[in-house]
């Protein structure tokens, strides 16, 4: 196994930092932070604390959702002048529900060297101890704050067979869990991971209903940071089953029942006669 050379040409190092337990910073991350000329970070005060813990002093510049585009040029300039830069976020892996994507995209496109310095991410940390299938998972990040948007997002993945992973904050954890019961059903297996790697790390496991009970039981269980994981749908309904009735009704708005039945029969292979009868039943419900 040969190591990646960390000092060949000017590089943007994308450095993962701990999500709670400072001992989770890798040795390589510490060395890279020590060696770079500049650290681009989400919140300078937050990163300053990490650097203090490591006994390091480094120039910092903030890169967040509101100034990321302007920073691209500055960081590109630094790299062009041969200076190494590290990108960190407040916690975990940059770009994972954190700033950095426009920067990394622009720098790679411009031909700059971008290298990952891997470490912790809350998704993988949570999945590794949840006890849900991990062979396939779909990371959905944060759900929308508004209920209508949240329900829409959940409905879009309700048929998914892979394990679903969401990030959630203390402000919306109970509301999101209640919406999950509505969209995914109360019996779907799920796991909520709270305060991973920190003092009050907890896992709530069971059906959606059982987990809601556990998290609702005590106000302390609703504090901190959460990763919500839901088992994939064990019996997904196929798109054609879902859309069948809607499609037929739309056709019936435009075409006479016989023609609509013929078109649908052609599409689905179902009996033209039965479809025609169905159309008549809808027209004259008993
Ligand atoms: N970049 C980070 C990563 O790699 O996981 C994620 C940053 S995102 C802004 C913060 C969210 O990640 C939190 O709201 C929570 O959903 C999840 N998270 C971060 N740290 C966590 C922890 N220690 N325990 C549980 N969830 C955590």
């Amino acid at each position: 196994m040969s190591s990646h050379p960390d000092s060949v040409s000017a590089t943007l190092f994308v450095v993962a930092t701990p999500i709670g337990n400072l001992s989770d910073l890798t040795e390589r991350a510490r060395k890279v932070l020590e060696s770079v000329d500049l650290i681009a970070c989400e919140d300078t005060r937050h990163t300053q604390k990490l650097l203090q813990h490591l006994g390091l002093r480094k120039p910092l510049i903030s890169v967040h959702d509101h100034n990321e585009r302007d920073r691209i040029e500055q960081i590109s300039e630094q790299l062009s002048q041969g200076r190494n830069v590290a990108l960190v976020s407040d916690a975990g892996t940059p770009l994972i529900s954190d700033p950095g994507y426009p920067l990394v995209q622009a720098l790679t496109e411009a031909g700059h060297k971008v290298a990952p310095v891997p470490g912790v991410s809350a998704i993988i940390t949570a999945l590794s101890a949840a006890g849900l299938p991990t062979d396939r998972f779909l990371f959905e990040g944060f759900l929308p704050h508004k209920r209508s948007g949240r329900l829409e997002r959940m409905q879009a993945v309700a048929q998914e067979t892979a394990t679903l992973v969401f990030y959630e904050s203390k402000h919306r954890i109970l509301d999101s869990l209640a919406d999950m019961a509505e969209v995914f059903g109360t019996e779907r297996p799920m796991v909520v991971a709270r305060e991973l790697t920190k003092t009050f790390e907890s896992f709530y496991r069971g059906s959606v209903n059982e987990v809601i009970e556990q998290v609702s039981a005590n106000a302390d269980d609703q504090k901190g940071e959460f990763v919500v994981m839901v088992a994939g749908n064990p019996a997904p309904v196929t798109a054609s089953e879902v859309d069948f009735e809607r499609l037929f009704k739309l056709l019936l708005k435009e075409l006479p029942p016989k023609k609509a039945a013929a078109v649908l029969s052609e599409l689905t292979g179902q009996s033209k006669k039965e479809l025609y009868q169905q159309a008549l039943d809808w027209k004259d419900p008993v």
Side-chain angles (χ1 to χ4, degrees):
M1 205 158 50
S2 66
S3 306
H4 178 269
D6 283 339
S7 57
V8 271
S9 60
T11 302
L12 175 82
F13 292 100
V14 183
V15 182
T17 58
I19 57 168
N21 190 326
L22 289 178
S23 306
D24 288 335
L25 188 90
T26 67
E27 195 185 330
R28 181 170 171 228
R30 197 190 58 73
K31 278 189 191 152
V32 166
L33 292 177
E34 194 174 3
S35 72
V36 292
D37 302 286
L38 176 70
I39 299 177
C41 59
E42 207 179 342
D43 178 338
T44 51
R45 279 167 308 175
H46 193 101
T47 299
Q48 199 61 262
K49 279 189 202 154
L50 175 71
L51 294 184
Q52 259 165 22
H53 169 81
L54 300 172
L56 300 176
R57 284 169 76 97
K58 286 284 160 183
L60 300 176
I61 56 163
S62 67
V63 176
H64 45 69
D65 291 342
H66 305 295
N67 70 1
E68 193 163 352
R69 305 255 158 216
D70 300 334
R71 293 301 197 216
I72 291 170
E73 218 167 290
Q74 275 174 272
I75 293 172
S76 177
E77 181 90 13
Q78 294 287 324
L79 294 169
S80 301
Q81 288 172 9
R83 296 196 185 99
N84 286 313
V85 182
L87 171 70
V88 299
S89 61
D90 283 354
T93 302
L95 280 80
I96 307 301
S97 293
D98 264 342
Y101 165 63
L103 177 68
V104 168
Q105 196 217 12
L107 294 183
T108 50
E109 223 161 67
H112 287 293
K113 200 162 171 267
V114 177
V117 180
V120 190
S121 188
I123 326 163
I124 303 299
T125 310
L127 280 170
S128 70
L132 289 172
T134 52
D135 51 339
R136 290 171 57 241
F137 61 87
L138 178 64
F139 177 55
E140 278 288 316
F142 286 103
L143 286 160
H145 293 189
K146 273 198 177 167
R147 181 153 197 258
S148 56
R150 202 159 59 222
L151 288 171
E152 203 175 297
R153 215 38 264 133
M154 287 183 192
Q155 264 142 12
V157 293
Q159 302 302 322
E160 177 57 59
T161 53
T163 298
L164 304 170
V165 187
F166 303 91
Y167 279 171
E168 196 46 277
S169 80
K170 59 183 175 187
H171 306 293
R172 279 170 295 277
I173 184 69
L174 287 181
D175 288 345
S176 282
L177 291 177
D179 291 343
M180 285 178 185
E182 194 173 312
V183 178
F184 304 137
T186 53
E187 298 313 309
R188 252 241 229 151
M190 77 175 305
V191 179
V192 169
R194 180 173 80 91
E195 293 289 88
L196 288 161
T197 76
K198 303 187 207 176
T199 313
F200 296 108
E201 177 181 275
S202 324
F203 285 86
Y204 309 85
R205 300 181 171 91
S207 66
V208 173
N209 251 1
E210 286 165 348
V211 168
I212 291 177
E213 244 174 61
Q214 294 168 47
V215 178
S216 312
N218 189 327
D220 283 345
D221 294 306
Q222 294 141 40
K223 289 182 184 158
E225 300 185 282
F226 298 86
V227 180
V228 178
M229 294 155 284
V230 183
N233 192 330
V237 179
T238 63
S240 58
E241 282 173 287
V242 170
D243 293 336
F244 171 83
E245 187 173 323
R246 183 149 181 263
L247 175 63
F248 199 6
K249 285 182 175 165
L250 284 175
L251 282 172
L252 285 167
K253 275 193 191 164
E254 307 295 328
L255 299 170
K258 231 180 202 162
K259 277 213 165 139
V263 171
L264 207 61
S265 163
E266 182 79 31
L267 273 175
T268 64
Q270 275 189 272
S271 144
K272 207 188 296 179
K273 206 171 148 199
E274 278 172 24
L275 288 169
Y276 179 61
Q277 189 54 54
Q278 171 70 76
L280 295 184
D281 291 348
W282 278 333
K283 239 181 165 181
D284 307 305
V286 264

